[in-house]
Amino acid sequence: METSRPLDALNRARDKKVIVELKNQKQFIGKLKAFDIHINVVLEDAEERVDGEMKRKLGVVFLRGDTITIISPE
Amino acid sequence: METSRPLDALNRARDKKVIVELKNQKQFIGKLKAFDIHINVVLEDAEERVDGEMKRKLGVVFLRGDTITIISPE
Amino acid sequence: METSRPLDALNRARDKKVIVELKNQKQFIGKLKAFDIHINVVLEDAEERVDGEMKRKLGVVFLRGDTITIISPE
Amino acid sequence: METSRPLDALNRARDKKVIVELKNQKQFIGKLKAFDIHINVVLEDAEERVDGEMKRKLGVVFLRGDTITIISPE
Amino acid sequence: METSRPLDALNRARDKKVIVELKNQKQFIGKLKAFDIHINVVLEDAEERVDGEMKRKLGVVFLRGDTITIISPE
Amino acid sequence: METSRPLDALNRARDKKVIVELKNQKQFIGKLKAFDIHINVVLEDAEERVDGEMKRKLGVVFLRGDTITIISPE
Amino acid sequence: METSRPLDALNRARDKKVIVELKNQKQFIGKLKAFDIHINVVLEDAEERVDGEMKRKLGVVFLRGDTITIISPE
């Protein structure tokens, strides 16, 4: 892997399934469709999970960057 | 869905019913009428819900961006 | 309602009675006299309410934007 | 009252007795001597109050803007 | 007292003994040697106090502005 | 060691194993692949640890800068 | 001591042993190798202490500025 800037890693994850975790401990899984320099993120086919269990289906969800702690391809 | 930037997803949700969740765990549902780059949001025909139950009707409500965690078309 | 930007909604609420809620759960009701892009707000004939009951009268009150969660015409 | 911008309301309160409340729930009362666009504030003849009771006299006190929730002429 | 801007009040307190309180409730007393527009502060001959009692001597201490709530000449 | 700027230290840690700790007390260990001036960080071969025990393997993980407290080469 | 700006005090502490305290109450001691205007800091020969006791050795550690409350030469 050749990563020079952190956003390059997000770019490589585009259209792939990622897990996004928030400061309030919530966890969202979905296909990464968009992000910007504030790390605002849009997931498609998203669901919220609690302890590995699906809590609710959300379809498209916009996550505000400053609430996000980590993003990782599943 | 073709999304290049996160705000494009919000733009597609304009005039549609969305759910907005805040850092303080509150949940607002209403028609998305406006948003800006700070993710300040205006909902119309809005209501606050607690555990899926309507808590109060608000009509028009302005939500300050930095208090928002997620926005999702219902 | 034609809203293109969130601050337009605040502008339409000018001189009307609004409810303002803060991150610390406090609630202020009063006539919206002024606001700016930081969402700093000034209310006139304001009062603080707790559980729908008037707690104290404040007259003019300046509310710092970054403490505000929602603003809604009553 | 003609208020166009929130800072105008603070300007009218200059040299008057105001109450300032902080995010940590502390309450300061004193004569408003200075403020800036960050809402940094200086009070003179200031005291800290707890539940309406004077807790300590502070004379001049500088309050950092981002800790302030509301400012109201007493 | 003629104060036009909040930082003028800090300037007048330079080389005087001030009390600085932080968001985490800690209290530092010392001679105000330097400050900047972020309200980063340097105290000399500083000590941390708890409930009016000296907890530890610190000599020179740099306090990061965004952690400060109030500054007051003792 | 000759360090003039903090980011130089991160640069020297590039491609080395580092420990990253977050404000929410979580701990991530992995190879430092990228960082930027916001201290957004990308780790490779990453894992989350709790009390020194591996909690989960993450592969590539993007950590948002404003959630990070410390970064240290292991 | 002649201090005009807060960062001058940090500059004088360069290559000296300092104590750095974080918002999460953690305490790091080490040689100050670098800092910037965000108060991002790099310590060398660093250790984390709890109640004056060494908890762990860290070698080089990067501390993100916005998590820091105070920095003081030991």
Side-chain angles (χ1 to χ4, degrees), chain D residues 5-67:
Chain D
R5 294 164 302 172
L7 296 201
D8 293 342
L10 293 186
N11 212 31
R12 270 190 298 273
R14 204 185 280 266
D15 286 317
K16 301 214 177 82
K17 206 171 175 183
V18 297
I19 182 167
V20 180
E21 295 188 357
L22 306 192
K23 288 179 184 166
N24 65 8
Q25 310 291 352
K26 292 192 179 184
Q27 203 181 57
F28 295 88
I29 287 93
K31 200 189 290 183
L32 180 63
K33 294 305 291 181
F35 63 89
D36 60 23
I37 55 164
H38 306 292
I39 322 300
N40 293 319
V41 160
V42 173
L43 301 182
E44 203 183 27
D45 297 325
E47 58 182 62
E48 185 184 342
R49 281 195 205 159
V50 175
D51 300 325
E53 301 288 312
M54 202 258 285
K55 190 184 149 195
R56 57 172 171 167
K57 287 210 164 296
L58 281 160
V60 173
V61 63
F62 172 96
L63 300 128
R64 198 172 183 274
D66 93 322
T67 196

Side-chain angles (χ1 to χ4, degrees), chain F residues 19-22 24-29 43 47-53 55-56 58 63 70, chain G residues 26 48 55-56:
Chain F
I19 181 168
V20 180
E21 295 188 357
L22 307 192
N24 64 9
Q25 312 289 353
K26 293 191 178 183
Q27 203 180 57
F28 296 87
I29 286 93
L43 301 182
E47 58 182 61
E48 185 184 342
R49 282 195 206 159
V50 174
D51 301 325
E53 301 288 312
K55 190 184 149 192
R56 57 173 172 168
L58 280 160
L63 299 128
I70 71 168
Chain G
K26 293 191 179 183
E48 185 185 343
K55 191 184 149 192
R56 58 173 171 168

